[in-house]
Amino acid sequence: MKRFLGTLFVLMGMMLGCGEAADGDACAPNSTVECLCLDGVSGHQECNAQGTGLVDLCSCGEGEDGGEETDAEETGEEETGEEETGEEETGEEETGEEETGAEACLEDYDFFVAEVWEPILVIQCAGCHNAAGTATQSQMIFEPPDTPGAMSANFETLTAVALTEFEGTSLLLLKPTGLHPDGHTGGKLVPPGTLHHARLEEFVARVSGALDPCADPPPTEEECTGTLAGKRLLRRLTRFEYDNTIADLIGIDSSWGASFTPEDVVHGFDNHAHSNPVSALFADQARKAAEEIAALAIPQLNPLTNCFPTTKEEEVACSEEFIATFGRRAFRRPLEAEEITRYVQLYELGRALDIHTTGLELVVTGMLQSPHFLYRMELGAHQGEGLWHLSPYEIASQLSYFLWGTMPDEELFAAAENGTLETAEGLSFEAQRLLNAPRRDAMLAHFAAQWLDVTGLSYATKDPETHPEFTEEIREALRVELEEFMARVVFEKSGNLTELFLSETTFTNDTMAAFYDLPAPSDVDSAGIGEVSLAGSPRRGLLTLGAVLTTHAFANGSSPIHRGLMVREQLLCQELPPPPPGIVANPPAMDPELTTRERFTTHASVEPCFSCHKLFDPIGFGMEHFDAVGRYRETENGLPIDATGEILNSPNTNETFDGVLELAEVLAASPDIHACHVKQWFRYGLGVEDDPSMDCLVNSLEDAFVESGTHVPTLLKALATSPHVRVRYDSPPEEGWDTPSPPLEIEIPSPPDGGIEVNDENLVVELVKVSEWENGYCSDVTVSNMGDYPIVWIIQLPILGTIDNLWNATMTPAGEKIQFEGPTWQPEVAAGDSYGFGFCANL
Amino acid sequence: MVRRAHRPKSPAPRRTRIGRREFLIGGGAALLSAGILNRLEREALAQESTGAKRLILFFTPNGTIHQHWRPTVEGGTFFFPAGSIMESLAPLKDELIILDGIDFHGVANHEPGMVAMLTGGGTLNTVGAGQSVDQYIVQELDAGLKFPSLDLSVQTSAWGASTQTRMLYSEPGKHIPPDDDPLNVYTRMFGSLGGSAGDVDQFLLRRQGVLDLVSWELKDLQKKLGAEDKARLEQHLEALQTVEKSLQPPKGTCEPPEPTVGLPHLHNDNFPEVLKAQTDLMVVALACGMTHVASLQCSHTLSPNIFTWLGQNEGHHSLSHSGDANLNGVADFVETERWFSEQFAYLINRLKDTPEPDGEGSMLANSAVLWCQELGDGRMHTCTDVPFVIAGQANGFFQTGQYLNCGGAAHQKLLVSMCHAMGLDNTTFGNPAYGEGPLEVLA
């Protein structure tokens, strides 16, 4: 892809020998080897004493002091490195591609600098893995890049790590990924499946000789557009989705989902497709919920079915109709005939134990535990060669769960059924319809709370001694502000990410406005929410949302660390390692003589803390005018507040600023912020990790987003109508995938004979309960004469309760049972005929 | 031909559904059920005379400050100095083994410590295959009880499920969620019983039917999937099997404790009440033979809990970072740790005061209890001298009433010792490179 053809390569003006090594020795020991420089001039480099490799880089156009020049050039590269990477990311590398069209491969060293050192090692590793840092025990110690010979030394260091194996896997792929059995003190910094992980894998492949990029050119532009879709997925409903789905499916409020064991959180999101298993606890909670929901749903049959049977035959027909109708909505697609048959078995089990509605209840109980309900399928049908077409129902579910967080509505089902979802226009129409509907707001609120890492707002304890005004009412108002702000800016105002940062209004109620010394809201709605002007106030956009400032703070003070980390990790998508072991990491004690910044500066300017803390503390310092509950303060402990700050080590956003207004402007204008926002929606919308095979999709989304002026609804529309929604690329189906499974057989207990006694062996009695309520029931009895002569029938049945209504028969007590006979005018049942009577009883 | 006369109108049928709350409690005083279905019925593995009858894990987070934790040794014995963390355990001294000098080799910091604590860094190729030690013991004992293990917790889920918030593993990288909600635990233990024996059968039959159908669907679906998703559904199938077993009615008499209705279990300030409820439920479950392996996880590493019930206003993790010069911070931290010791003492006393069902002595005498943590000195984020406390004689396996220094021994050896205490004979657990065999000092 574009990154392979880095402009760095062009501008560096130096080049390693490419593929000169023969099969045996790489070079003649201790010799000087000629190498080619970009401008066509010959340079030279040294072969090592063993003949296994070249000692240094190609020195171009110089004599003996090639080494220093190398370093000087390296330093030069360092300084221009960031801009070049930036140019790559904003898509200006067409120049690069043209110029390097002839050389389609990046040398290992160049690859190391551009694709491993700068984007990964500098930010996530070098802070600890240096001589003064805390990873001194490790074999991977990097030199500061401005030291002579540092970059090539670092290259050698990383190569050594890459070539060290543990149980057959490179250490470089075990440690930062957290997969090494001893763990990694720095944490799981480079998850498998991400772009960064792919880079590390490539580095290992290169230096171990498994990959020769000069022999295998990287994919061209055309190959890139071929993979605008990812793999097939099975996505378990999250708790949020479960509750929304139950509410729409059954029509009752659901908080069952909220009580389930929580999801794994990946990049802050709860819906990562590979991370939400059905554990035993979840399965049990889902079972309990299904039973309770079914018990509440079935008495209110009306919204669920129109079929009310009065005979056994009608019961069967009604059960099938119910299974098909309810099942279509529960499974979000029409059921196949065999499926209906299987659920009829479940119905019959429930019916055999009681009455018709018990059978339906068991059907609902089963369906709500079925994988067809609990998982959203994005599996499709194989078209050949690994291309899968998703069904229109799978497309519909993607749309509704992405944009509304719930199952498709009837209109979306209809669009699936009549084929319009399989056309680009139909898909676009439905996506737009969902984006225009009020239900999008709940989805946006759910996304925003995770994106800004404020799901902990409800648990954020504040010290009642230092912050007594922070009531539960305020806390709730902050939550509402976040939701209203996001919904109104994104869907009613400009919709631009830039406005999310720079908005001069927020949306809240009187209580919160007063709490933050803001003017009262105007045009309040029925919930008391209205627009509040921030003009002339120190607040602006999402950085000063009460929820953000309050959650990212301590119980009794602000926290520049947490606020800075939020910006770094959630807004800039740069993950940082945790504090390392072996140092005493004291948070500074509260001190009435110092401001927060002063307390933290002491601890954050000392190594080994500083190399990491400089990446986020200075960002958080910019927000220091806001206390632990988000109120503005001019001074702290009577002292002036220094809200200057800076962003370091980012590809495009290295800036200084003074205060949150300037910080907001820096962030709003930053391409890193824009790219990260796309990535976050990509993760949330698709439920996937950053997968290099989906690079092209992410790039196309970034292009669309930037071209639209960072218009969020445009991004959402692009995500909802991307090729990924309609196709997937994955392995072809395995052997036996379409072999039919042996049929299901559920054991259905036969009704107990219940001690029925008859006065003639040719009499058969059938007892059927036809209705039931809290303290009573009614049953129908059929007496059939299987013989060839008329019978004056007398039967005795054990009866539960006391009969208070009897028709078509007479009764007398008979010990513990009741004896029934025909009425005096009709005591007989003819040969081959049946006679029916009935009764109701009180329990 | 069926003749029907006019049927008088019956009263409008109104099925009363058991409301959620009643459903939870209506199960009520559970007794032996007469109608236990054969195919679910399994005898508990007859316990050999060697090995404890049960394993209990008790976890508290964020390490300790050794100077306030270590007992004082004097005159051939040891005691807990006044003001020290374990002072409240003094009356129980003879039931305990205090273990000092245990290291997690090759591991440091919050998350790696949390992962390694019970797994010993195991991989698929080591004894345990990457499971946490309790799950390995469950697997080896294969007792077929209502719950293979009962895993309870207090406020472990606000941050979602991750290597920070989970300590139990079924495989490398796959954690097992504990149950944060004592009311849910109650219904799992008691709510699956109906009122009468006949109702029990009905419930069981219905549930069996559903499980059969859902399992069929899972297996049918697996065929159409790739390897990774196949494995996920395999996990789902195993989960259903565990659920099926848990629906068995308990054997023996089980006196349920008061259910904690109306207690918001996620609220910081309710931590003590939730912990007590979970402890009580765990002891009852063990006494009734619903399980032989139980764990109780108090929050998680990096826990943000503020011990407001002690009048504090700073989070536990933050307090655990109080340097020695920060006298107030250290004092507050010690206060929280003393409170945890009291909760551990409550658990041990419950076990000590409950006679062993179908056996001799107290439950404690036949139990192997382990209080575990994921860090040594919390301020340093190191996993050296990680504090452990064993309680209970494990049916004669442990010689309690000792304070032992293990001299930097690998914690894998402690995990092996716990396996041996439960009657197993494996010689390694987790990563054997750091240590083989049991802890010598315990022999």
Side-chain angles (χ1 to χ4, degrees):
Chain A
M1 217 210 74
K2 295 167 186 170
R3 288 197 179 88
F4 285 122
L5 312 168
T7 50
L8 253 178
F9 178 66
V10 174
L11 297 168
M12 264 186 341
M14 54 189 287
M15 187 175 137
L16 273 177
C18 179
E20 288 176 342
D23 285 321
D25 278 356
C27 49
N30 290 319
S31 66
T32 301
V33 177
E34 201 178 84
C35 52
L36 199 59
C37 294
L38 198 58
D39 46 11
V41 171
S42 284
H44 67 272
Q45 58 191 139
E46 307 296 314
C47 183
N48 65 18
Q50 301 79 27
T52 53
L54 300 163
V55 167
D56 54 18
L57 305 158
C58 192
S59 293
C60 291
E62 296 298 333
E64 281 81 34
D65 50 350
E68 276 130 82
E69 240 130 79
T70 314
D71 302 330
E73 278 161 317
E74 279 171 335
T75 319
E77 280 140 35
E78 283 307 306
E79 283 154 28
T80 55
E82 283 152 16
E83 288 118 66
E84 283 146 37
T85 323
E87 279 160 38
E88 282 175 0
E89 279 170 40
T90 51
E92 287 171 26
E93 57 275 55
E94 283 71 28
T95 332
E97 284 165 19
E98 284 154 38
E99 285 174 44
T100 59
E103 297 105 357
C105 70
L106 205 55
E107 291 313 318
D108 290 350
Y109 175 79
D110 304 330
F111 177 81
F112 164 75
V113 174
E115 304 295 342
V116 182
W117 173 259
E118 285 194 5
I120 309 172
L121 300 182
V122 151
I123 295 180
Q124 299 192 280
C125 313
C128 294
H129 283 272
N130 62 72
T134 46
T136 44
Q137 315 285 2
S138 116
Q139 63 185 91
M140 189 173 90
I141 301 294
F142 294 122
E143 301 183 20
D146 47 11
T147 341
M151 285 310 286
S152 67
N154 291 340
F155 173 67
E156 296 297 331
T157 301
L158 195 70
T159 303
V161 173
L163 295 175
T164 308
E165 290 193 343
F166 174 80
E167 286 188 3
T169 309
S170 164
L171 265 194
L172 186 57
L173 300 177
L174 286 176
K175 276 289 184 174
T177 56
L179 291 174
H180 195 282
D182 289 345
H184 176 232
T185 303
K188 187 181 177 185
L189 295 172
V190 183
T194 59
L195 194 56
H196 284 176
H197 187 263
R199 298 286 179 258
L200 294 186
E201 280 183 318
E202 181 173 338
F203 184 82
V204 172
R206 281 166 167 268
V207 300
S208 65
L211 171 69
D212 181 357
C214 296
D216 310 314
T220 63
E221 198 80 48
E222 293 82 65
E223 285 175 50
C224 176
T225 51
T227 53
L228 286 165
K231 297 190 165 24
R232 302 162 78 210
L233 289 176
L234 207 57
R235 304 172 70 173
R236 200 209 76 193
L237 292 182
T238 63
R239 297 173 293 165
F240 172 71
E241 292 166 350
Y242 184 96
D243 281 336
N244 292 339
T245 305
I246 294 292
D248 287 331
L249 178 63
I250 313 272
I252 54 181
D253 278 340
S254 171
S255 58
W256 282 277
S259 72
F260 292 169
T261 188
E263 299 83 8
D264 285 13
V265 170
V266 179
H267 291 297
F269 296 119
D270 60 4
N271 60 0
H272 188 246
H274 289 140
S275 285
N276 290 328
V278 172
S279 59
L281 182 59
F282 185 92
D284 195 52
Q285 290 168 333
R287 172 198 62 80
K288 186 153 86 81
E291 291 173 4
E292 292 172 5
I293 292 168
L296 285 172
I298 289 305
Q300 289 111 249
L301 277 179
N302 269 329
L304 300 179
T305 182
N306 286 323
C307 195
F308 300 95
T310 53
T311 69
K312 185 90 176 108
E313 293 73 32
E314 285 177 20
E315 281 186 352
V316 173
C318 281
S319 72
E320 287 181 6
E321 186 266 352
F322 178 85
I323 289 167
T325 312
F326 181 79
R328 169 181 163 277
R329 299 185 68 240
F331 291 177
R332 303 177 286 271
R333 57 161 174 81
L335 266 56
E336 292 162 21
E338 298 89 39
E339 283 184 294
I340 296 180
T341 309
R342 283 191 287 275
Y343 277 91
V344 167
Q345 286 191 59
L346 204 58
Y347 162 81
E348 285 177 356
L349 169 61
R351 175 70 185 81
L353 295 172
D354 208 349
I355 56 175
H356 173 67
T357 48
T358 313
L360 300 186
E361 195 181 316
L362 200 57
V363 165
V364 173
T365 307
M367 285 186 171
L368 294 183
Q369 295 176 68
S370 167
H372 299 286
F373 171 74
L374 288 174
Y375 296 99
R376 298 155 49 192
M377 314 270 174
E378 295 174 13
L379 302 175
H382 190 233
Q383 309 298 310
E385 294 183 15
L387 171 65
W388 297 77
H389 279 184
L390 298 188
S391 81
Y393 297 98
E394 290 175 319
I395 296 172
S397 279
Q398 284 181 84
L399 283 188
S400 68
Y401 278 102
F402 171 40
L403 296 173
W404 287 356
T406 188
M407 58 181 276
D409 62 358
E410 268 314 306
E411 212 178 310
L412 202 46
F413 270 123
E417 262 149 19
N418 64 28
T420 51
L421 272 189
E422 286 164 292
T423 67
E425 302 78 32
L427 181 60
S428 173
F429 178 85
E430 284 300 309
Q432 194 61 55
R433 178 176 73 84
L434 267 60
L435 265 174
N436 293 344
R439 300 203 67 164
R440 69 209 170 174
D441 290 352
M443 176 282 293
L444 183 62
H446 191 67
F447 167 83
Q450 296 177 84
W451 172 46
L452 299 172
D453 193 17
V454 295
T455 54
L457 176 63
S458 22
Y459 311 113
T461 318
K462 297 295 166 183
D463 184 358
E465 280 182 27
T466 51
H467 297 84
E469 315 84 4
F470 185 75
T471 62
E472 291 307 308
E473 200 192 339
I474 300 282
R475 187 199 302 271
E476 174 63 12
L478 300 193
R479 188 190 64 75
V480 171
E481 183 203 14
L482 170 64
E483 294 182 8
E484 292 285 333
F485 174 81
M486 291 296 301
R488 305 226 197 169
V489 172
V490 170
F491 290 124
E492 290 175 22
K493 303 192 87 195
S494 75
N496 294 335
L497 178 64
T498 46
E499 188 176 356
L500 282 175
F501 281 99
L502 300 174
S503 170
E504 293 197 14
T505 65
T506 186
F507 298 85
T508 185
N509 58 21
D510 276 333
T511 314
M512 205 202 93
F515 188 67
Y516 286 148
D517 276 332
L518 294 170
S522 58
D523 289 325
V524 294
D525 62 16
S526 53
I529 311 290
E531 191 164 1
V532 170
S533 170
L534 299 176
S537 86
R539 312 181 86 95
R540 181 105 357 117
L542 63 86
L543 291 176
T544 55
L545 288 173
V548 171
L549 294 167
T550 302
T551 310
H552 298 288
F554 291 118
N556 55 7
S558 63
S559 175
I561 294 178
H562 288 95
R563 291 171 181 172
L565 271 174
M566 187 280 288
V567 172
R568 201 91 215 188
E569 296 191 331
Q570 305 302 118
L571 301 183
L572 287 168
C573 290
Q574 293 181 324
E575 285 187 26
L576 289 158
I583 57 168
V584 184
N586 294 334
M590 296 302 273
D591 188 336
E593 309 282 317
L594 298 175
T595 63
T596 300
R597 184 188 190 120
E598 286 163 348
R599 285 164 42 221
F600 279 100
T601 303
T602 314
H603 108 274
S605 59
V606 165
E607 284 295 10
C609 316
F610 184 58
S611 44
C612 277
H613 274 268
K614 70 181 187 204
L615 298 176
F616 44 91
D617 281 11
I619 302 177
F621 289 149
M623 299 161 81
E624 266 300 292
H625 273 295
F626 296 90
D627 69 8
V629 293
R631 286 177 302 199
Y632 179 78
R633 55 188 178 187
E634 192 62 50
T635 60
E636 186 185 358
N637 292 332
L639 300 161
I641 292 179
D642 174 6
T644 58
E646 61 179 340
I647 302 179
L648 298 168
N649 276 101
S650 72
N652 294 292
T653 322
N654 293 353
E655 297 263 4
T656 57
F657 51 85
D658 185 348
V660 79
L661 301 190
E662 286 186 14
L663 172 60
E665 278 166 20
V666 166
L667 297 179
S670 155
D672 300 333
I673 292 279
H674 306 160
C676 174
H677 196 69
V678 171
K679 201 185 275 193
Q680 298 285 41
W681 274 111
F682 172 82
R683 290 165 174 166
Y684 175 80
L686 272 45
V688 296
E689 192 66 72
D690 313 342
D691 187 343
S693 76
M694 300 179 79
D695 257 6
C696 304
L697 176 57
V698 176
N699 284 340
S700 80
L701 293 170
E702 275 176 26
D703 292 344
F705 187 57
V706 169
E707 272 164 34
S708 70
T710 75
H711 190 236
V712 177
T714 300
L715 172 61
L716 302 188
K717 180 86 177 285
L719 263 167
T721 54
S722 75
H724 179 81
V725 170
R726 291 198 274 169
V727 304
R728 297 296 161 91
Y729 298 99
D730 209 333
S731 327
E734 299 198 357
E735 279 287 322
W737 70 273
D738 57 354
T739 317
S741 302
L744 170 72
E745 279 176 26
I746 297 184
E747 203 181 299
I748 313 227
S750 45
D753 75 4
I756 296 174
E757 291 188 41
V758 297
N759 66 336
D760 188 304
E761 63 187 5
N762 283 318
L763 284 179
V764 170
V765 178
E766 192 194 349
L767 187 69
V768 172
K769 199 191 293 186
V770 292
S771 61
E772 187 187 24
W773 57 98
E774 186 173 3
N775 35 33
Y777 66 94
C778 294
S779 289
D780 279 355
V781 188
T782 310
V783 182
S784 303
N785 182 351
M786 314 305 280
D788 54 9
Y789 51 87
I791 300 175
V792 174
W793 61 272
I794 304 173
I795 66 175
Q796 291 185 349
L797 311 178
I799 298 294
L800 215 59
T802 312
I803 295 181
D804 63 354
N805 208 340
L806 173 68
W807 52 96
N808 288 355
T810 63
M811 70 180 200
T812 46
E816 292 196 352
K817 301 185 189 175
I818 305 286
Q819 177 165 302
F820 297 92
E821 302 172 64
T824 46
W825 63 86
Q826 193 175 4
E828 258 181 19
V829 53
D833 202 359
S834 293
Y835 183 79
F837 68 92
F839 64 88
C840 297
N842 271 327
L843 293 169
Chain B
M1 183 185 66
V2 178
R3 287 188 225 183
R4 288 178 178 277
H6 168 73
R7 181 199 303 177
K9 263 205 225 157
S10 37
R14 183 175 55 83
R15 186 75 185 260
T16 299
R17 285 298 147 187
I18 307 172
R20 273 186 90 188
R21 184 152 295 174
E22 297 159 74
F23 184 75
L24 298 176
I25 299 165
L31 300 169
L32 272 169
S33 163
I36 299 170
L37 292 183
N38 282 338
R39 71 170 146 156
L40 291 182
E41 189 176 57
R42 281 224 238 152
E43 292 302 318
L45 204 63
Q47 284 294 331
E48 325 249 317
S49 54
T50 59
K53 295 200 193 306
R54 62 192 65 84
L55 171 73
I56 301 170
L57 301 176
F58 180 83
F59 166 82
T60 62
N62 296 326
T64 192
I65 299 178
H66 292 91
Q67 152 195 11
H68 297 282
W69 179 82
R70 290 194 163 111
T72 302
V73 178
E74 205 172 275
T77 184
F78 70 98
F79 65 94
F80 304 116
S84 69
I85 285 172
M86 291 196 281
E87 190 180 357
S88 60
L89 292 172
L92 293 166
K93 209 178 73 162
D94 291 335
E95 314 284 355
L96 309 176
I97 305 177
I98 314 294
L99 290 169
D100 205 344
I102 294 194
D103 293 352
F104 294 5
H105 289 197
V107 170
N109 221 334
H110 286 280
E111 275 181 60
M114 199 73 187
V115 173
M117 177 175 67
L118 297 174
T119 64
T123 61
L124 291 172
N125 302 323
T126 62
V127 171
Q131 294 176 88
S132 47
V133 66
D134 60 316
Q135 297 302 307
Y136 174 68
I137 288 169
V138 165
Q139 170 193 291
E140 293 299 298
L141 291 184
D142 194 20
L145 301 177
K146 183 175 168 76
F147 301 113
S149 64
L150 187 63
D151 304 309
L152 310 182
S153 54
V154 186
Q155 296 176 12
T156 60
S157 297
W159 294 3
S162 68
T163 45
Q164 287 176 354
T165 61
R166 300 282 175 259
M167 68 183 195
L168 305 176
Y169 285 81
S170 59
E171 267 182 53
K174 289 198 157 58
H175 35 247
I176 297 172
D179 200 337
D180 260 7
D181 182 355
L183 202 48
N184 190 53
V185 175
Y186 182 100
T187 62
R188 287 167 62 200
M189 287 168 62
F190 301 105
S192 56
L193 289 177
S196 69
D199 282 354
V200 172
D201 286 346
Q202 280 226 350
F203 277 123
L204 286 172
L205 267 174
R206 289 185 207 180
R207 286 180 181 140
Q208 195 59 55
V210 168
L211 286 173
D212 286 349
L213 175 48
V214 175
S215 300
W216 189 98
E217 289 178 324
L218 284 166
K219 291 189 195 132
D220 187 59
L221 187 51
Q222 270 183 317
K223 293 192 304 219
K224 307 186 170 84
L225 303 174
E228 186 171 354
D229 284 330
K230 261 200 189 45
R232 291 179 71 209
L233 292 198
E234 196 58 39
Q235 188 181 0
H236 189 158
L237 276 162
E238 284 168 13
L240 290 182
Q241 284 159 19
T242 307
V243 169
E244 185 180 340
K245 273 192 237 154
S246 79
L247 297 173
Q248 293 173 42
K251 302 186 199 325
T253 44
C254 265
E255 198 58 48
E258 270 308 301
T260 51
V261 178
L263 176 72
H265 61 282
L266 298 175
H267 206 269
N268 179 87
D269 298 350
N270 293 332
F271 198 104
E273 240 184 297
V274 175
L275 178 50
K276 178 172 183 302
Q278 299 285 53
T279 306
D280 289 340
L281 285 165
M282 183 172 77
V283 171
V284 169
L286 292 164
C288 297
M290 290 187 189
T291 188
H292 289 338
V293 175
S295 65
L296 186 36
Q297 181 186 338
C298 298
S299 191
H300 53 84
T301 197
L302 296 162
S303 64
N305 300 96
I306 300 181
F307 285 48
T308 48
W309 55 95
L310 301 176
Q312 294 187 0
N313 61 11
E314 198 176 335
H316 189 257
H317 170 237
S318 186
L319 286 176
S320 75
H321 275 287
S322 305
D324 291 331
N326 180 355
L327 298 178
N328 285 335
V330 169
D332 279 354
F333 179 69
V334 168
E335 200 185 16
T336 65
E337 294 299 294
R338 283 171 62 88
W339 184 83
F340 274 134
S341 289
E342 286 165 20
Q343 310 318 305
F344 185 68
Y346 175 73
L347 167 63
I348 303 305
N349 276 317
R350 285 291 321 265
L351 294 168
K352 189 171 177 185
D353 295 342
T354 312
E356 180 67 41
D358 312 326
E360 299 188 6
S362 68
M363 277 179 74
L364 183 61
N366 294 295
S367 301
V369 187
L370 181 67
W371 180 357
C372 53
Q373 297 202 46
E374 86 288 18
L375 286 174
D377 187 326
R379 288 92 50 87
M380 305 289 286
H381 279 162
T382 49
C383 298
T384 49
D385 294 327
V386 181
F388 283 95
V389 178
I390 289 176
Q393 290 74 32
N395 196 10
F397 185 86
F398 285 133
Q399 275 236 326
T400 52
Q402 301 190 73
Y403 167 44
L404 301 171
N405 195 321
C406 307
H411 82 292
Q412 283 82 0
K413 301 171 84 151
L414 171 60
L415 299 177
V416 171
S417 291
M418 299 309 293
C419 292
H420 291 182
M422 293 297 293
L424 304 186
D425 58 9
N426 48 306
T427 52
T428 67
F429 185 81
N431 189 343
Y434 294 127
E436 294 193 21
L439 265 184
E440 290 87 352
V441 295
L442 286 177

